[in-house]
Amino acid sequence: MNWSDVWEAMFGGVADYAEILGLVANSIVAGAVLGLVGGLVGVFVIQRDMAFAVHGIAELSFAGAAAALLIGVDVVTGSIVGSLIAAAIIGVLGAKARDRNSIIGVLMPFGLGLGILFLSLYNGRSANRFSLLTGQIVSVQSGQLGWLIVISIAVLLGLLAIWRPLRFDSLDPQSAAARGVPTTAVSLGFMLLLGLMVAVSVHIIGALLVMALLVTPAAAAMRVASGPLAVPLLSALFGFVSAVGGILLAVAGTLPVSPYITTISFVIYVVCRVVGSRRGRVDRAARDASAGVSDGVGAQGAPMARG
């Protein structure tokens, strides 16, 4: 492949961009919803150190979607069933971080193996099989968009309902339990909400790339913000920019949309990490300078000892 082929693949549709954009209106809405809600959910994923859990749920969601594809039922339903089963198992059995990671490590290869088995038995279009891994965001139908919006609203309402106890439990689980917060119920409720979000994300952006919208935006936001309101809003904004920006770039050519989404998300994270590191160095230098001035004043103001 030469550079002209690469240019054609990336920008070959610029001449018809406006027309193509009208055909992917559903995809843009789907990307916006996924980015916003996924960014909010991702804040708690990072705070609770559950990035590994997202991948584990995605693998079983992939297995459920593959099973649904094999037997000829709705793929979204199969994906939701697989995600909720994984989320319930992790939520009930993985109360401690060590137990949770080991359970996820067991579920991941099992779900991936089942999914590969079901796909190998499927005799339909190969594009349907491939889309379960990398998504099909540029071909979102109205019915699929409706399901996505309904599930995302349900996840958002559920998240708002448990926001305060969930935040308390995420930041200081020991104190939350001592204050009477039902930590087990809160943890299980969040896992089920996460399972629903993973299910719709897998169907849209694929099992292999789901972390780009459920982990990376929140990780980037926490590099440059720390407030209880600033971090969720910034994370949702980063998710929105990654998803919608990836679609807007992808429709200009013939390349899949997923690499654009993951690249934008990664670039945002790198920029935030650099900005956060520089800000940390400036703050440390300011503190050191302030401490030096204080020490100097104290030394000058101290009485001289007599010999």
Side-chain angles (χ1 to χ4, degrees):
M1 176 177 288
N2 53 39
W3 286 110
S4 62
D5 294 329
V6 174
W7 181 267
E8 181 67 21
M10 294 183 65
F11 305 108
V14 170
D16 303 318
Y17 189 80
E19 182 179 352
I20 298 173
L21 204 60
L23 298 176
V24 295
N26 285 349
S27 301
I28 295 174
V29 175
V33 172
L34 280 180
L36 291 171
V37 182
L40 293 175
V41 173
V43 172
F44 294 104
V45 171
I46 297 297
Q47 289 179 347
R48 301 173 74 86
D49 193 20
M50 298 183 67
F52 193 38
V54 172
H55 200 37
I57 295 173
E59 300 295 356
L60 218 59
S61 178
F62 161 66
L69 189 65
L70 177 63
I71 62 179
V73 300
D74 183 55
V75 174
V76 177
T77 301
S79 180
I80 292 174
V81 171
S83 287
L84 291 181
I85 291 175
I89 293 174
I90 296 171
V92 172
L93 301 181
K96 298 181 179 179
R98 180 181 300 178
D99 294 337
R100 183 169 64 239
N101 289 337
S102 62
I103 291 169
I104 296 168
V106 171
L107 285 177
M108 281 178 58
F110 174 67
L112 185 60
L114 277 182
I116 293 174
L117 172 64
F118 295 146
L119 290 186
S120 64
L121 296 174
Y122 176 68
N123 295 321
R125 295 174 55 199
S126 60
N128 291 335
R129 291 181 288 184
F130 188 67
S131 67
L132 294 182
L133 294 173
T134 60
Q136 51 182 358
I137 197 168
V138 295
S139 59
V140 178
Q141 305 300 320
S142 297
Q144 297 169 341
L145 179 61
W147 269 108
L148 169 65
I149 292 176
V150 168
I151 293 174
S152 297
I153 291 175
V155 171
L156 183 59
L157 292 177
L159 194 64
L160 292 175
I162 63 172
W163 187 279
R164 294 188 65 182
L166 177 62
R167 186 170 182 273
F168 191 12
D169 183 49
S170 299
L171 298 177
D172 193 349
Q174 289 79 18
S175 298
R179 293 288 185 88
V181 175
T183 55
T184 301
V186 168
S187 177
L188 181 58
F190 174 70
M191 287 303 304
L192 294 177
L193 294 176
L194 178 61
L196 287 173
M197 205 61 213
V198 169
V200 293
S201 299
V202 164
H203 182 62
I204 299 299
I205 64 174
L208 298 180
L209 307 172
V210 67
M211 297 180 74
L213 292 182
L214 289 177
V215 175
T216 311
M222 289 183 178
R223 287 287 174 178
V224 294
S226 58
L229 186 61
V231 172
L233 291 179
L234 201 57
S235 178
L237 175 62
F238 289 161
F240 175 86
V241 171
S242 300
V244 176
I247 297 170
L248 294 178
L249 289 176
V251 297
T254 59
L255 296 176
V257 67
S258 303
Y260 289 98
I261 294 176
T262 54
T263 300
I264 293 174
S265 184
F266 177 73
V267 169
I268 290 174
Y269 174 78
V270 171
V271 171
C272 289
R273 189 176 181 92
V274 171
V275 171
S277 298
R278 287 188 175 182
R279 182 181 297 176
R281 288 196 296 268
V282 171
D283 290 343
R284 285 194 298 270
R287 287 195 300 268
D288 292 342
S290 177
V293 171
S294 299
D295 291 343
V297 172
Q300 293 175 3
M304 294 181 62
R306 294 183 179 180

